[in-house]
Amino acid sequence: MNLKKYLVRALHRLQKGPGYTYKELLVWYCDNTNTHGPKRIIKEGPKKKLIWFFLTLLFASLVFWQWGILINTYLSYNVTSSLSIGFKTMKFPAVTVCNANPFKYSEVKPLLKELDRLIEAALERILQPGNSSDSVYPPLDLELWNQMPLVLIDEHDKDNPIILDIFETNQTAMGSQTPSPFLGSGPQNARGRLCSQGSDNCTYRNFSSAAQAVTEWYILQATSILSKVPLHDRIRMGYQAEDMILACLYGAEPCNYKNFTQIYHPDHGNCYIFNWGMDEEALNSSNPGAEFGLKLILDISQQDYIPYLSSAAGARLMLHQQKSFPFLKDQGIYAMAGTETSIGVLVDELERMGYPYSDCTVNGSDVPVRNLYSQYNTSYSIQACLRSCFQNHMVESCGCGHYMFPLPEGVNYCNNEDYPGWAYCYSSLRSSIKQRQICIDSCKETCNDTQYKMTISMADWPSEASEDWIFHILSYERDMSTNVTLDRTGIIKLNIYFQEYNYRTISESAATTIVWLLSSLGGQFGFWMGGSVLCLIEFGEIIIDSLWITIINLISWCKGLKQRRARARYPDAPPTVSELVEAHTNLGFQHEAGAAGAQALPPEPGTPPPNYDSLRVQPLDTPGPDSDTDTE
Amino acid sequence: MLPPAKITARLKRTLPVRGPQAPTLSELMRWYCLNTNTHGCRRIVVSRGRLRRLLWILLTLSAVALILWQCAELLMNYYSASVSVTVQFQKLPFPAVTICNINPYKYSAMKEYLSELDKETKKALETFYGFSEGKSKVRRSVDDWNSTGSDFFQQIPLLKVEDLSRTATDLRTGQKRRVEGSVFHKDSSIVNSADSNDIIGFQLCDANNSSECALYTFSSGVNAIQEWYKLHYMNIMAQIPLETKEKLSYSADDLILTCFFDGLSCDKRHFTRFHHPLHGNCYTFNSGENGTILSTSTGGSEYGLHVVLYIDEADYNPFLVTSSGAKIMIHDQNEYPFIEDIGTEIETAAVTSIGMHFTRSRKLSKPYSDCTETGADIPVENLYNKSYSLQICLHSCFQKAMVESCGCAQYAQPLPPGAEYCNYKKYPNWMYCYYRLHEKFVKEQLGCQQICKDACSFKEWALTTSIAQWPSIVSEDWMLRVLSWDKGQKLNKKLNKTDLANLMVFYKDLNERFISENPANTLVILLSNFGGQLGLWMSCSVVCVIEIVEVFFIDSLSIVLRRQWQKAKKWWSHRQQGGSGRAAQASDVERQGHDNPVCIDEDLPTFTTALRLPLPQDSPLPRTPPPNYSTLRLETAFTEQLPDTLELDPDEH
């Protein structure tokens, strides 16, 4: 019973809306809302009312339109960039130094002996086709040759090119062979071509120059031979740290080859990384200038180069971040022998925001490519991803891994004996645009992109005056002998240091935050209508109220259907919902009252009950002349 | 008279036009303050006590001032741009790479054109510096001395100037003559070259007025001879037609020995010839001329362009160029390569590895900054058949000025339509004119620097250049032999390694940096900022602004006007009373003010006043209202709502 009373009261409260008809409700809302327009609609005269009605509508629609734009802007996740330049104490970059030549020729000579003899004989044949001096050489082992012969194609007759195998004198016409994808072959200058014999089809790789053909051919063959050599032997055949790094000075502190971490790089053999930060903390540099940077003296011993493998002589070096793998072919630079190369470094950083602002990856864990470089404990980079992607494709389609990239587990490197068709498979994969596109699409760049901008300058070193004693001391230190074992063609001096401004950081920040969105929304609402969130709540309240009215109307209508007779008698107890509803929704009654007001004199002369409230209201109305005129 | 009055009356009744809400200005203000939506104003009226009211007035005024200030700031900063940097990893278009030999034309082929000039130069070297190249050459030059020598060389000889006495020794005659006109030190105006007593230079005179002369002197003979040589060289070259010049220069086969791109072989068909006036035949790789632009989908040196160039050092012009090697430039396909200005030099006997980073930049054009999108809005005709750049504009502008003032075009720049290159035979005065004009150009007196604007978007390839020895000692032998074989049978001798240059151009990574300016403000944001400011200080909105316009401008004005009108009317009626009565007209005019409720006291009853009259007389208030039970109950429940609903009712009728 108590509960019911309570419920009724609660219902009352809820119902105690601003009016009992839609019109009352709207008028009440317009008069009492905090938004600026609606009040005008009911306060002004009929003409202005109309104007204000349309104005309010216009402003409301403007507000919604602009809100749409703002929300759209927010959802596009724009970023703004801020740039800062200056000098600060920074981690000195990791410095990787390699020799351009991967192995000491004196060490690998036994392995490459056959190949070298072959190429020498081939060159002899190419350069002097007339005099064949076969007798001079011991008989050649043509097994290597036959797998991948170098041929000359004479294209003077364009439709019927003549293929000329260097070690066989017979000339075969092209027609019978499987058609091969040629590219850009000049009709007048026929040059050496490489044929990679696949299992049953043969491709002629076209070169416009014999020098290129020979180099490419040699690299393929040497790759095949060296891939069979176990890693520790390959490391042994490369340049050792104590032979290569002659002097080292970091800032004022001496360092030596032991401060370098050895890493085996397929292109360049043994590489040495200074300040890689793998085991110990990375070194900081807090001063600009050459005096506080890294100074190195290297020996590349040019006499010991493999003649056909690399024709450029110098050191290869690269600056990179700590714990990242050095991709020397991409980012590396050369340092020339007999010179002093000074490298001023500016760290160019780009810090980006991850998803949803830009499509980048923080640590590469969300990239669908297995990172093969993780075996070096290095961090993710786009180059690592691309190479891993290529190697994975290579393993899938050729069954073996390429020598230049790390191996997935359980896979061997390709060589001519076990995988005779690998060279063909590799070159078709390498020139496949589709494969590259797949890799580009699946790899993502890192969010923090660091580039080392280098200002490179060179000078001759050592000078003629100082040459003698420098060579003497360095040779003595390295080989403990008084003979000079170094010369100009092998020695390189490097200075790597921070520039006066050592960083340039571009960092991103969200252009549109939720705070921005809210203040802009508020600004728009305020600008056009002077509204706030409370106004929205008010509006919601009105909607709830009008819903109530609808419900009440419905109920009363149903009740009216059920019981036609209205109750005339009012009980003393507080009115129930149904009673209230019934009374106020009796439109006919109200209409009568309204009509009476207009006609000023209702026909009923009966004495009414003392209507104190209404009396009190009316005197308030009279003093305001404007309200009086309004009623007209 | 009656029907229109009736119509107006009906109109007024149906759509009453009402005047201001208050009869006087202060009343109006009071009404405004009480009813306005802005905060602060109400406080002024409501507050009690003078101090408080003053405070509130001050506060409101300062809020208004703050709003105005902040909104002005917002408006002034509207055209500001924010910079965004995006990095995209993608397949990148490979840029065009233009390669030139530093020496423009084969010296052996140029002999017939340049023999006289060379003789003259050698003679100068001998007389001034006592340098002789070898006996045979000296003898020949002495022999031919008198027979050769055109009018032209006599006109502009090299001179040895003694600065203090201002006398010059002529190279040819050995005569001393007095130097007229002003002296220009070509090297620098700061360097005091008066210390050395013999300065070498040359004199340029106005052909029409020989007293107008300019003497160019140089602190070093090396510069003087090169400048002088170049002057005459351009003179000679201007007379040779383009086809001949192309033949005199290097062919693609001459220059490019091997070519390798993206792991595949390429040849001269991938190169487009482009004749540069100062560098002869240049070859552009990937010029996009056949419609396709090559792209790179993997970074790294093996996937880029790899060329070996043949630099025939023996065939160099000894006076025109003193360095040897090649010059390259990396540029966009639509861009003209200003290789003489921004080329990179390539050393011989070395491999030059050039790693690239690609950056694209974009500026906002007007009204954010003063740049041009296509160059169409620049009044200088683009003489180059390429897309607009600042360099192109400056050169075109200079060329235009040259054709206008000297009558002929300068050799190093393209020809405008209808003009021809300057040469001494036709335009004897051109050199003097050119040097004068060039000086003006450098001093920004030609206005070119003001006319030309920078382009809004540009592509930039940041290069990291490094050099290694090539070929290495052990590979030198076979490499040179094979390359000689590549070069073909026409070259019998073995190549020298100083005749070769190896060049590698590649992308370091495929990250494209795109730096773009974006408008920092849009109209939407500006409006919301306005709204924020208005709301923060006064809780104002556009509605308030409309209110302010209504009250402060329309209503106040109409009140003032009405006052004035009433005054005038009073004065008029006084006069009327004083003079003869013409009341009919006056009442006619009066009627216009009747819609004002304020004017009731003075006016005759009109329709509105007449309508209003019955109301106060028998208003329903004292009457006993009908037994309105429902309203009674309403009032108890919603005492405050009742007046509204009652007020509304009469409006329905």
Side-chain angles (χ1 to χ4, degrees):
Chain A
M1 196 61 201
N2 228 356
L3 186 74
K4 195 185 171 186
K5 228 178 193 174
Y6 176 77
L7 277 176
V8 167
R9 203 169 286 166
L11 203 64
H12 261 268
R13 285 267 165 81
L14 268 177
Q15 282 176 342
K16 208 173 165 183
Y20 286 87
T21 61
Y22 295 120
K23 188 169 176 175
E24 265 174 47
L25 188 74
L26 271 179
V27 167
W28 179 86
Y29 170 73
C30 288
D31 202 22
N32 290 286
T33 180
N34 280 315
T35 43
H36 291 175
K39 197 163 188 169
R40 299 269 126 195
I41 300 179
I42 55 157
K43 289 276 175 176
E44 303 275 357
K47 245 188 204 168
K48 281 195 178 173
K49 227 177 227 185
L50 200 71
I51 294 170
W52 274 109
F53 178 69
F54 282 115
L55 271 183
T56 313
L57 267 188
L58 177 73
F59 289 163
S61 48
L62 271 176
V63 167
F64 284 115
W65 174 48
Q66 308 261 305
W67 276 9
I69 293 174
L70 283 173
I71 290 168
N72 242 345
T73 315
Y74 175 71
L75 289 179
S76 63
Y77 295 112
N78 287 325
V79 287
T80 50
S81 307
S82 61
L83 176 76
S84 55
I85 300 175
F87 185 89
K88 63 181 177 193
T89 301
M90 285 183 90
K91 278 181 190 166
F92 198 75
V95 180
T96 303
V97 285
C98 311
N99 202 329
N101 182 50
F103 305 108
K104 288 180 182 170
Y105 191 49
S106 50
E107 302 273 344
V108 290
K109 215 166 191 172
L111 289 167
L112 299 177
K113 205 167 68 190
E114 276 301 311
L115 189 61
D116 285 352
R117 278 184 48 218
L118 206 57
I119 194 104
E120 271 159 29
L123 283 180
E124 208 60 42
R125 290 276 184 120
I126 294 171
L127 298 176
Q128 279 117 24
N131 51 348
S132 56
S133 45
D134 275 19
S135 53
V136 180
Y137 293 98
L140 290 161
D141 175 18
L142 286 174
E143 192 201 339
L144 273 174
W145 183 265
N146 287 334
Q147 273 169 347
M148 219 187 290
L150 267 173
V151 294
L152 284 175
I153 298 182
D154 191 349
E155 270 191 348
H156 282 294
D157 183 6
K158 231 191 155 188
D159 301 322
N160 195 18
I162 301 160
I163 299 172
L164 193 75
D165 194 320
I166 291 168
F167 284 118
E168 284 159 43
T169 43
N170 60 329
Q171 299 180 357
T172 48
M174 257 284 288
S176 59
Q177 293 274 0
T178 28
S180 50
F182 272 67
L183 82 123
S185 50
Q188 67 273 43
N189 276 339
R191 287 292 177 262
R193 268 147 230 208
L194 178 91
C195 174
S196 316
Q197 197 114 35
S199 48
D200 50 355
N201 51 358
C202 175
T203 312
Y204 288 96
R205 266 192 80 192
N206 227 4
F207 295 95
S208 59
S209 129
Q212 270 168 10
V214 168
T215 315
E216 286 283 312
W217 183 84
Y218 192 88
I219 287 172
L220 270 178
Q221 295 284 12
T223 305
S224 161
I225 291 169
L226 289 168
S227 63
K228 282 178 283 190
V229 180
L231 182 64
H232 58 90
D233 279 340
R234 271 182 276 154
I235 291 174
R236 186 185 48 78
M237 289 188 299
Y239 292 85
Q240 303 308 310
E242 55 266 39
D243 295 339
M244 194 169 145
I245 300 157
L246 301 181
C248 169
L249 194 67
Y250 178 73
E253 290 173 52
C255 46
N256 63 10
Y257 65 90
K258 285 172 190 147
N259 295 77
F260 287 76
T261 316
Q262 189 267 341
I263 188 172
Y264 179 78
H265 195 283
D267 279 323
H268 298 289
N270 288 342
C271 288
Y272 298 95
I273 307 178
F274 178 75
N275 193 26
W276 205 13
M278 278 295 185
D279 307 319
E280 70 288 331
E281 274 291 296
L283 293 169
N284 283 321
S285 179
S286 47
N287 285 300
E291 284 306 305
F292 303 95
L294 180 69
K295 290 179 177 179
L296 285 177
I297 297 175
L298 305 176
D299 177 39
I300 57 165
S301 46
Q302 217 188 119
Q303 307 294 347
D304 218 2
Y305 267 39
I306 303 172
Y308 297 100
L309 200 59
S310 53
S311 53
R316 204 92 158 97
L317 81 151
M318 181 181 161
L319 309 183
H320 53 107
Q321 270 185 300
Q322 272 77 32
K323 293 183 179 154
S324 69
F325 190 83
F327 292 98
L328 286 148
K329 281 254 166 169
D330 294 19
Q331 313 267 345
I333 58 165
Y334 280 113
M336 198 155 136
T339 60
E340 171 173 2
T341 306
S342 292
I343 301 168
V345 181
L346 169 86
V347 185
D348 191 12
E349 272 180 304
L350 183 67
E351 289 164 7
R352 282 190 291 166
M353 298 179 69
Y355 184 81
Y357 294 95
S358 52
D359 189 25
C360 62
T361 176
V362 180
N363 54 10
S365 55
D366 50 342
V367 173
V369 175
R370 191 150 47 110
N371 188 1
L372 300 175
Y373 286 87
S374 53
Q375 56 185 276
Y376 293 99
N377 281 329
T378 52
S379 54
Y380 173 86
S381 68
I382 186 88
Q383 282 92 2
C385 178
L386 287 174
R387 278 167 179 72
S388 305
C389 179
F390 182 84
Q391 183 74 310
N392 290 335
H393 280 230
M394 178 98 186
V395 170
E396 261 172 50
S397 54
C398 309
C400 58
H402 192 265
Y403 169 71
M404 290 293 170
F405 312 117
L407 277 182
E409 291 111 61
V411 184
N412 290 323
Y413 280 127
C414 297
N415 59 60
N416 283 347
E417 278 161 25
D418 302 335
Y419 308 92
W422 80 272
Y424 171 73
C425 177
Y426 164 69
S427 23
S428 61
L429 194 67
R430 186 180 136 134
S431 52
S432 145
I433 291 161
K434 197 179 131 224
Q435 180 272 330
R436 288 188 193 178
Q437 197 56 48
I438 290 171
C439 286
I440 286 178
D441 291 342
S442 50
C443 285
K444 282 183 197 169
E445 64 264 58
T446 47
C447 287
N448 283 349
D449 177 36
T450 305
Q451 289 174 4
Y452 293 93
K453 300 250 173 210
M454 294 175 277
T455 311
I456 304 168
S457 56
M458 293 200 301
D460 263 6
W461 186 85
S463 65
E464 274 180 34
S466 62
E467 207 175 68
D468 290 339
W469 70 266
I470 285 178
F471 287 142
H472 187 85
I473 289 181
L474 289 174
S475 316
Y476 177 77
E477 277 178 357
R478 188 175 70 170
D479 304 326
M480 293 296 167
S481 72
T482 47
N483 298 336
V484 173
T485 50
L486 298 165
D487 62 357
R488 262 206 114 70
T489 59
I491 202 146
I492 291 170
K493 189 163 194 260
L494 287 173
N495 298 323
I496 301 162
Y497 53 89
F498 277 138
Q499 286 173 8
E500 195 174 344
Y501 289 100
N502 72 342
Y503 72 94
R504 187 178 77 175
T505 306
I506 298 169
S507 53
E508 283 185 347
S509 55
T512 52
T513 55
I514 198 82
V515 177
W516 173 89
L517 180 70
L518 285 181
S519 69
S520 301
L521 291 180
Q524 282 294 338
F525 200 16
F527 182 68
W528 296 110
M529 301 185 76
S532 66
V533 176
L534 291 178
C535 297
L536 289 181
I537 297 173
E538 270 174 13
F539 195 72
E541 197 190 355
I542 290 303
I543 287 172
I544 294 168
D545 280 340
S546 61
L547 273 179
W548 264 115
I549 291 174
T550 320
I551 293 166
I552 291 167
N553 277 353
L554 271 176
I555 293 170
S556 72
W557 184 69
C558 292
K559 259 196 186 158
L561 276 186
K562 269 184 197 166
Q563 32 179 213
R564 301 245 158 183
R565 60 184 175 88
R567 282 192 201 165
R569 183 174 57 82
Y570 289 90
D572 291 336
T576 60
V577 190
S578 52
E579 280 166 352
L580 265 175
V581 164
E582 206 180 327
H584 288 281
T585 49
N586 195 340
L587 288 166
F589 189 69
Q590 275 196 345
H591 178 73
E592 206 181 321
Q599 280 158 15
L601 265 179
E604 293 95 341
T607 47
N611 193 347
Y612 296 111
D613 271 337
S614 57
L615 268 174
R616 226 192 306 133
V617 173
Q618 272 158 337
L620 266 174
D621 270 355
T622 38
D626 23 13
S627 63
D628 251 356
T629 49
D630 267 344
T631 46
E632 290 295 314
Chain B
M1 176 119 187
L2 264 172
K6 255 186 185 173
I7 291 164
T8 46
R10 193 169 291 162
L11 263 177
K12 276 177 187 171
R13 201 168 47 211
T14 46
L15 284 172
V17 175
R18 263 174 286 187
Q21 300 277 3
T24 60
L25 273 179
S26 62
E27 282 284 301
L28 181 77
M29 287 301 125
R30 196 181 159 75
W31 173 85
Y32 169 74
C33 285
L34 278 174
N35 288 285
T36 181
N37 284 316
T38 49
H39 300 172
C41 215
R42 194 183 166 83
R43 288 275 117 203
I44 299 174
V45 183
V46 171
S47 299
R48 297 193 174 170
R50 224 178 261 170
L51 185 67
R52 255 168 204 255
R53 192 166 286 190
L54 196 71
L55 263 178
W56 274 110
I57 288 174
L58 279 179
L59 282 175
T60 316
L61 282 182
S62 56
V64 171
L66 275 173
I67 285 175
L68 290 179
W69 172 48
Q70 299 277 327
C71 289
E73 288 270 299
L74 283 175
L75 268 183
M76 283 197 290
N77 292 329
Y78 181 67
Y79 287 123
S80 60
S82 67
V83 176
S84 74
V85 181
T86 54
V87 174
Q88 220 182 348
F89 173 77
Q90 58 180 24
K91 206 159 115 178
L92 289 181
F94 200 77
V97 181
T98 298
I99 303 168
C100 310
N101 200 329
I102 287 188
N103 184 44
Y105 303 103
K106 291 177 188 166
Y107 192 52
S108 51
M110 288 297 289
K111 270 262 151 58
E112 54 171 311
Y113 300 100
L114 295 178
S115 56
E116 273 183 40
L117 179 59
D118 289 349
K119 260 178 232 157
E120 193 83 3
T121 318
K122 278 169 194 158
K123 170 80 183 162
L125 284 173
E126 205 184 341
T127 40
F128 289 139
Y129 297 100
F131 167 82
S132 59
E133 250 188 286
K135 228 175 171 190
S136 61
K137 282 178 186 172
V138 174
R139 186 182 47 80
R140 199 182 61 195
S141 70
V142 169
D143 284 348
D144 297 348
W145 185 244
N146 290 320
S147 60
T148 60
S150 65
D151 171 46
F152 170 63
F153 291 121
Q154 279 172 8
Q155 199 74 32
I156 307 163
L158 271 170
L159 299 170
K160 191 194 247 177
V161 185
E162 276 147 54
D163 211 30
L164 296 170
S165 58
R166 292 179 72 99
T167 50
T169 315
D170 197 322
L171 155 73
R172 180 182 292 269
T173 54
Q175 283 173 352
K176 292 201 172 179
R177 62 176 176 188
R178 193 156 175 79
V179 179
E180 316 255 338
S182 52
V183 178
F184 290 90
H185 295 295
K186 188 81 208 246
D187 275 351
S188 165
S189 54
I190 308 155
V191 173
N192 187 7
S193 42
D195 313 343
S196 57
N197 28 8
D198 47 347
I199 311 161
I200 205 158
F202 51 88
Q203 192 178 26
L204 291 177
C205 288
D206 195 343
N208 308 323
N209 180 8
S210 57
S211 63
E212 281 272 318
C213 278
L215 180 71
Y216 290 88
T217 59
F218 301 85
S219 61
S220 158
V222 175
N223 292 343
I225 291 203
Q226 269 195 291
E227 280 287 315
W228 182 80
Y229 189 91
K230 211 184 233 170
L231 194 77
H232 290 288
Y233 171 80
M234 282 193 329
N235 221 348
I236 293 163
M237 291 313 291
Q239 298 167 44
I240 303 172
L242 183 66
E243 294 81 47
T244 325
K245 279 194 283 189
E246 280 182 355
K247 266 180 216 141
L248 289 172
S249 189
Y250 300 91
S251 70
D253 282 330
D254 286 338
L255 186 66
I256 295 145
L257 263 184
T258 75
C259 167
F260 215 52
F261 178 73
D262 203 3
L264 299 171
S265 205
C266 51
D267 58 26
K268 63 171 185 178
R269 280 170 299 170
H270 292 82
F271 289 86
T272 316
R273 184 165 64 193
F274 146 79
H275 190 84
H276 190 280
L278 295 181
H279 286 281
N281 282 350
C282 293
Y283 293 90
T284 306
F285 178 77
N286 192 26
S287 66
E289 201 156 72
N290 51 3
T292 50
I293 292 171
L294 297 168
S295 59
T296 306
S297 48
T298 317
S301 53
E302 50 200 316
Y303 296 95
L305 177 71
H306 193 156
V307 275
V308 176
L309 303 172
Y310 177 62
I311 311 287
D312 194 3
E313 218 186 319
D315 219 1
Y316 264 45
N317 187 327
F319 303 111
L320 190 65
V321 282
T322 46
S323 51
S324 86
K327 234 176 171 184
I328 73 148
M329 189 179 155
I330 289 159
H331 58 101
D332 186 58
Q333 276 80 13
N334 288 324
E335 214 177 297
Y336 183 85
F338 285 97
I339 203 150
E340 75 272 29
D341 295 343
I342 37 181
T344 310
E345 268 134 15
I346 304 295
E347 208 179 319
T348 55
V351 51
T352 307
S353 133
I354 298 181
M356 302 185 290
H357 272 298
F358 183 42
T359 309
R360 217 149 49 87
S361 315
R362 183 163 180 76
K363 271 209 285 190
L364 286 170
S365 58
K366 273 185 176 172
Y368 291 92
S369 67
D370 195 25
C371 66
T372 175
E373 293 276 357
T374 56
D377 51 337
I378 306 257
V380 177
E381 192 197 351
N382 186 346
L383 298 176
Y384 298 81
N385 199 13
K386 295 282 183 181
S387 63
Y388 178 85
S389 73
L390 184 64
Q391 285 265 40
I392 280 182
C393 179
L394 288 175
H395 280 122
S396 302
C397 179
F398 179 79
Q399 185 74 301
K400 202 176 110 191
M402 177 95 188
V403 172
E404 268 167 22
S405 57
C406 306
C408 58
Q410 209 256 328
Y411 174 67
Q413 284 139 20
L415 274 178
E420 61 175 333
Y421 283 128
C422 294
N423 65 64
Y424 190 75
K425 275 179 195 147
K426 259 191 175 173
Y427 307 93
N429 201 23
W430 81 268
M431 268 187 216
Y432 179 72
C433 178
Y434 167 72
Y435 272 87
R436 275 294 156 104
L437 204 66
H438 192 260
E439 200 188 316
K440 265 194 190 171
F441 178 76
V442 171
K443 287 181 181 164
E444 299 189 18
Q445 286 169 344
L446 279 184
C448 287
Q449 284 84 351
Q450 282 77 39
I451 294 172
C452 290
K453 298 177 198 165
D454 42 0
C456 283
S457 57
F458 52 95
K459 292 172 178 174
E460 186 196 19
W461 282 268
L463 309 181
T464 311
T465 313
S466 59
I467 301 173
Q469 195 184 332
W470 178 87
S472 63
I473 296 171
V474 284
S475 64
E476 190 180 326
D477 182 49
W478 77 266
M479 194 52 122
L480 292 176
R481 270 168 64 209
V482 176
L483 284 173
S484 311
W485 185 79
D486 274 337
K487 190 90 181 100
Q489 275 71 35
K490 51 193 155 182
L491 202 78
N492 294 321
K493 55 169 183 159
K494 197 176 121 183
L495 291 172
N496 196 342
K497 72 171 175 181
T498 53
D499 281 334
L500 299 171
N502 195 339
L503 169 70
M504 285 154 71
V505 181
F506 57 93
Y507 273 115
K508 282 176 121 185
D509 54 30
L510 295 180
N511 287 343
E512 176 195 317
R513 282 199 181 186
F514 180 46
I515 302 172
S516 61
E517 278 188 347
N518 301 313
N521 295 304
T522 59
L523 194 64
V524 178
I525 289 164
L526 180 75
L527 289 183
S528 28
N529 287 342
F530 272 176
Q533 289 296 333
L534 290 174
L536 178 67
W537 299 110
M538 289 190 84
S539 167
C540 186
S541 69
V542 171
V543 177
C544 308
V545 177
I546 295 176
E547 265 177 19
I548 288 167
V549 170
E550 190 190 6
V551 168
F552 282 83
F553 293 94
I554 301 172
D555 283 4
S556 311
L557 206 71
S558 64
I559 286 177
V560 169
L561 278 178
R562 196 165 62 204
R563 278 290 171 89
Q564 294 300 318
W565 173 247
Q566 279 168 4
K567 266 186 193 166
K569 209 168 58 183
K570 243 179 200 170
W571 174 79
W572 180 252
S573 62
H574 270 287
R575 245 186 92 175
Q576 282 282 337
Q577 279 167 3
S580 62
R582 270 196 289 176
Q585 273 188 0
S587 67
D588 215 25
V589 184
E590 271 166 28
R591 225 172 262 154
Q592 289 178 0
H594 285 181
D595 46 340
N596 281 322
V598 223
C599 306
I600 300 169
D601 302 341
E602 300 163 37
D603 287 349
L604 287 167
T606 59
F607 288 101
T608 35
T609 45
L611 272 171
R612 192 175 289 131
L613 274 172
L615 274 170
Q617 279 172 5
D618 49 359
S619 68
L621 304 183
R623 301 238 166 193
T624 46
N628 194 346
Y629 297 109
S630 56
T631 48
L632 262 176
R633 231 187 304 132
L634 255 177
E635 277 165 61
T636 49
F638 314 103
T639 39
E640 287 179 32
Q641 273 74 55
L642 193 63
D644 304 341
T645 49
L646 276 180
E647 254 182 20
L648 201 72
D649 281 340
D651 276 344
E652 286 175 4
H653 297 274

